[in-house]
Amino acid sequence: MAKLILSLDGSVIREVPLDKERVTIGRKPQNDIQIENLAVSSEHACIVTILNDSFLEDLGSTNGTLVNGNPIKKHILQNNDVVEIGKYKLKYIADTPAAGQTPADEFEKTMVLRAPAAARPSGERAFGDTQAVQAAAVAAATAAAAKPAEIQTVAAVQILNGPSAGKELELTKNLTTLGKPGVQVAVITRRPHGYFIMHVEGASFPVVNGKALDAQAHPLKDHDVIELTGVKMEFFIKSK
């Protein structure tokens, strides 16, 4: 399990295991990691953990969030990254893959979504080669060690609108990244007890059956309709 080591001026304050899908950091007591300092916003940042990978997001804080000295809005955490919030530092220690695992084989390639022309803002390019490379990089960065899910069900998503209508992707791997980097990204994870969708990036959250999701992982059911970056797709069970 990954963890954070919270320190101030070189002195370790405590270690925090990332044992929840979403861990919040801020000045107010309702945060999972409370830092009582005026330089820290009420809800400063959050870390979303999917399988063995963690995504850091600044929640519009006043003084910003740094990783290894660089300001970030969203960042995929790597082992030994140092997050700076005010004068406090949080060192990220990643979970170590077990010997002999081939984690890259357990992840699906990014699915390229091209929004219908009517759904794209004027002047915006379709999700083409450059964006696909960026999305593949996101997927590759998230492909850290993860134990293969032990479920027999095989599901898929099928595009319902736009130029890619009819395209189908089987969800046979542990993680599938969907969307357009810099605009809206979500992941579908394959777990022992089913498939889940979770928001990763973007101001707008994915919509399932007409209802916007929140920051938590949402279980998917047969024939759920997902909407992401203006693209509608149907999730369905192929076999059990």
Side-chain angles (χ1 to χ4, degrees):
M1 181 186 300
K3 63 182 178 180
L4 297 173
I5 300 176
L6 176 64
S7 64
L8 176 64
D9 297 329
S11 298
V12 173
I13 298 173
R14 63 179 173 127
E15 293 187 3
V16 183
L18 296 177
D19 53 1
K20 297 172 58 178
E21 284 183 338
R22 189 172 191 268
V23 171
T24 58
I25 307 167
R27 192 176 69 253
K28 296 296 185 181
Q30 66 264 27
N31 289 283
D32 299 295
I33 303 175
Q34 183 186 12
I35 302 177
E36 296 185 80
N37 186 282
L38 292 178
V40 180
S41 296
S42 298
E43 293 183 353
H44 197 104
C46 73
I47 295 175
V48 174
T49 299
I50 303 170
L51 298 174
N52 285 6
D53 300 282
S54 298
F55 302 80
L56 171 69
E57 179 179 0
D58 182 89
L59 298 177
S61 65
T62 301
N63 295 314
T65 301
L66 304 180
V67 176
N68 303 328
N70 300 311
I72 62 93
K73 291 298 182 184
K74 296 179 185 294
H75 177 80
I76 300 174
L77 289 168
Q78 304 295 317
N79 191 39
N80 292 322
D81 274 353
V82 176
V83 180
E84 296 179 56
I85 295 180
K87 294 183 179 180
Y88 290 79
K89 294 184 178 181
L90 298 105
K91 186 174 183 179
Y92 175 75
I93 305 298
D95 199 10
T96 303
Q101 283 187 327
T102 55
D105 293 340
E106 298 305 325
F107 289 79
E108 193 64 82
K109 293 182 179 179
T110 297
M111 187 173 190
V112 178
L113 302 182
R114 184 188 297 273
R120 296 197 297 269
S122 177
E124 181 183 314
R125 289 191 302 162
F127 186 17
D129 292 341
T130 300
Q131 289 85 354
V133 170
Q134 291 173 335
V138 171
T142 61
K147 186 178 180 180
E150 296 176 356
I151 58 176
Q152 301 301 316
T153 300
V154 175
V157 290
Q158 184 176 44
I159 304 296
L160 301 178
N161 63 338
S164 298
K167 182 178 179 181
E168 182 181 307
L169 176 68
E170 283 193 0
L171 305 174
T172 57
K173 304 297 183 180
N174 276 350
L175 185 149
T176 303
T177 305
L178 303 173
K180 181 176 180 180
V183 179
Q184 190 178 27
V185 176
V187 294
I188 294 178
T189 60
R190 183 176 187 257
R191 305 184 184 183
H193 49 292
Y195 289 83
F196 291 75
I197 184 170
M198 191 171 189
H199 174 75
V200 172
E201 179 180 355
S204 299
F205 283 68
V207 173
V208 176
N209 300 330
K211 183 179 179 180
L213 304 183
D214 55 21
Q216 303 301 315
H218 178 82
L220 288 169
K221 298 178 181 178
D222 196 20
H223 301 302
D224 275 353
V225 175
I226 303 165
E227 186 169 354
L228 192 72
T229 65
V231 176
K232 290 185 178 181
M233 65 198 84
E234 181 183 0
F235 170 87
F236 63 97
I237 304 298
K238 295 194 71 173
S239 64
K240 294 185 179 180

